[in-house]
Amino acid sequence: MSDCHGGTVQRLDVEQCGEEDECLVPLSPVLLDASGVPVLPVPAPECRTPGTEEMKIGENLNQRGREQHRVTVRAIGKVVGDKWEANGNYSTGIHAQEDGDKHGKKRKLVTVDTSKAKTSLEGVKISIRMLKWKEIPSGRRAPCDIYWHGVSFHDSENIMSGQVNKFPGMLEMSRKINLSRAVRIMEELFPVEYDFYPRSWILPDEYQQFSAQLRMVKECDDTFNPTFIVKPDSGSQGEGIYLIRDPAELKPAPAIAAGAQARQAVVQEYIGKPLLVDKLKFDIRLYVLLKSLEPLEIYIAKEGLTRFCTEPYQEPSQKNLGQVFMHLTNYSLNVHSGNFVHSESQSTGSKRTLSSVLRRLAAKGVDVKRVWSDIIALVIKTVVAVVPQLKVYYQADIPPGKPGPSCFQILGFDILLMKNLKPILLEVNANPSMRIEHEQEVSPGVFECVPSPVDEEVKVAVIRDTLRLMDPRLKRASSWRSAGGEEAAGDGQVRKHPDGVPSPCLKQVYPKYSRQFNYLRLVERIAALFVRFLGVKGNMRLGPTAFRTFIRNCKLSSSNFTMASVDILYIDIARRWSGSLPDSREAGMGLPAFVEAFLYLAARRFKTQTPRQQAASLLDMCEAQLESPTSGPEERRSLSCGRAASRGGAGAPKPHLQQPGQAPPSPAAAPPARRASSQDCRRAKVRSREARVEN
Ligand code: ADP
């Protein structure tokens, strides 16, 4: 078998891939090019690990008989003499190990532990070589500068220093239900700003609300016949997704109605009028780097991918609801359609670069600058929605004052453009696929992993520039400068790399645009209060005593709201949220429940204001109380636990109270269970805006 460069390829059999652990041991086949020179080792195909978006090689081949399959791997780049060539677009004569500057001085090499990189390994290897850093492929003996994990923060335990490419809790926060909840809280406070996420209900808990609201909307307008998309909470790659037009079509209806044991899912308003290119529905995969939580730093990759359906699109009708190749853009599904086009070109085929699609749209007269700025706003708002809970996870795993690594993470945002060009958030992937090859069936039942130029172009740039931004020498800017490098410019962009690596693809959007978005960071301030009263390190839930302490220290009780009422409020809200929190291991009140209690208290106290003003007023009040020298003894105890100056709140700015497009006042003292009530006919029609582009 020859590889794409005419070399010999070692064939890997994955059919016996049974135990996950067995499959995750990175094999390093030696690949030879035509002249017998070893090409870069490539990772063995791995089984899909829970939480990753990657395709398990055998899994998509079910129908065709798992046992017969062979997978061979072809190299994408190769080492020729002392040159690394990745798709012919980069070449250097220096090995990573020989890192001397032009004066012959040795620089300390940045080390990257890639032992847990899993399917992103190939892209990480290429990036490390381009940067002339040092890969530690078999795990650390001494501490490394960067640990590249394939799935979660916990892939390796007991990391005490350096940087890990995953945040604790990000996997949980990117689950469909948790993302929906986080966005929903923001939507309550900022309904105009958070109109980019399809209306969603969580099953089975909100089955009744879903049916009732649909009935109500149809009563308002009997010509209105919306479609909904049902997505299993922990699903990925389109697995288990289906479309419905009536709650009775939910599968399996009895299990969903039955409750607790049923598999959780999100049922979501289906965007029936997407923008089409070549008559096909497509979505955008945008790579976003969350560089730091405190201070909040967000970067967006200028280049992304677009994934195309493989059947011409028609608006949903009872007849076509089951046609996945028409309605779902997942690569993992469409690759099995006879119409899937693997293309060498970036602007044709079933997977294209984002820039090629934007160029097409610009040629049609679309204002792509505006589309791009709407996308940036969507990304910043989404990150702002998930950061409060992430901060709770972070302080639990890496308590302030204890040794531990810092974190960063590449996220994959899936975005759909509506026909009117409004971007809609479909989901956030904590582990976006970083594979730079794809499988191709070369003869019946024989699959090969072959280079995918589009994937390589986009993903290697994202990984490489992420590493550049996380370069520990940037933190020691002066020493790096003296070593011949250049620090990040004031706007956070890396202007120049000492080794002449291509110009960066990551663009800072936060804090760059913080002036426009800071006012949204209200829930972060609530989370800071929550963290302040948690008390025990590693805890993520507030107990009844801590909740009482919060009420007492913030002086929120009165003759109208006694401590007995406080206890009832606690019991009521904590009980309703138990089991539905991101992490249900402990009893007590998690952040979403605390936010609900906080907003309830705010609505009671500031009856005439909008929900957002209520929250801001109560926050001001609580923060002022806690800053006062007369704060109670419990608060002082909590401070002595080392939590008071937690990372939770320091960066969350106070909002400006007057913003355009405020919500109408909410019912004065909303009961705790008020969330679903904001869903009405008006909202359901938001999507049917006028189209500005011909499909
Ligand atoms: P998964 O994690 O399983 O890929 P997604 O939420 O990304 O789940 O949904 C899969 C696909 O379904 C998306 O890529 C998109 O094509 C389509 N889709 C998802 N949600 C909607 C929606 N609300 N409206 C229209 N299409 C959607």
Side-chain angles (χ1 to χ4, degrees), residues 241-380:
I241 291 185
Y242 59 97
L243 304 187
I244 58 166
R245 303 198 107 179
D246 191 287
E249 291 161 16
L250 284 167
K251 312 186 242 188
I256 283 167
Q261 299 306 314
R263 206 175 159 200
Q264 289 197 306
V266 165
V267 59
Q268 195 171 76
E269 174 187 359
Y270 184 74
I271 307 300
K273 292 183 193 296
L275 181 72
L276 307 181
V277 166
D278 296 335
K279 298 195 167 71
L280 299 170
K281 176 176 171 178
F282 68 96
D283 77 348
I284 298 170
R285 161 55 58 86
L286 197 71
Y287 297 95
V288 171
L289 169 66
L290 181 52
K291 183 171 179 271
S292 142
L293 285 183
E294 193 65 62
L296 185 58
E297 283 186 69
I298 310 168
Y299 288 74
I300 296 185
K302 287 188 255 178
E303 185 60 289
L305 294 170
T306 51
R307 287 91 49 104
F308 280 72
C309 278
T310 41
E311 294 275 344
Y313 185 77
Q314 288 164 11
E315 284 190 26
S317 68
Q318 207 60 46
K319 263 196 192 155
N320 69 27
L321 285 189
Q323 296 191 29
V324 289
F325 298 148
M326 175 187 289
H327 290 293
L328 307 188
T329 49
N330 299 80
Y331 163 80
S332 50
L333 297 173
N334 284 282
V335 75
H336 297 297
S337 148
N339 296 337
F340 192 93
V341 180
H342 289 286
S343 172
E344 291 285 306
S345 151
Q346 300 185 345
S347 52
T348 58
S350 299
K351 201 189 263 187
R352 309 180 194 177
T353 56
L354 174 58
S355 59
S356 76
V357 170
L358 291 179
R359 271 197 303 275
R360 278 272 297 268
L361 297 177
K364 281 182 165 184
V366 168
D367 181 357
V368 292
K369 269 196 176 160
R370 190 176 137 199
V371 173
W372 191 242
S373 76
D374 288 348
I375 288 177
I376 291 175
L378 175 153
V379 168
I380 294 174

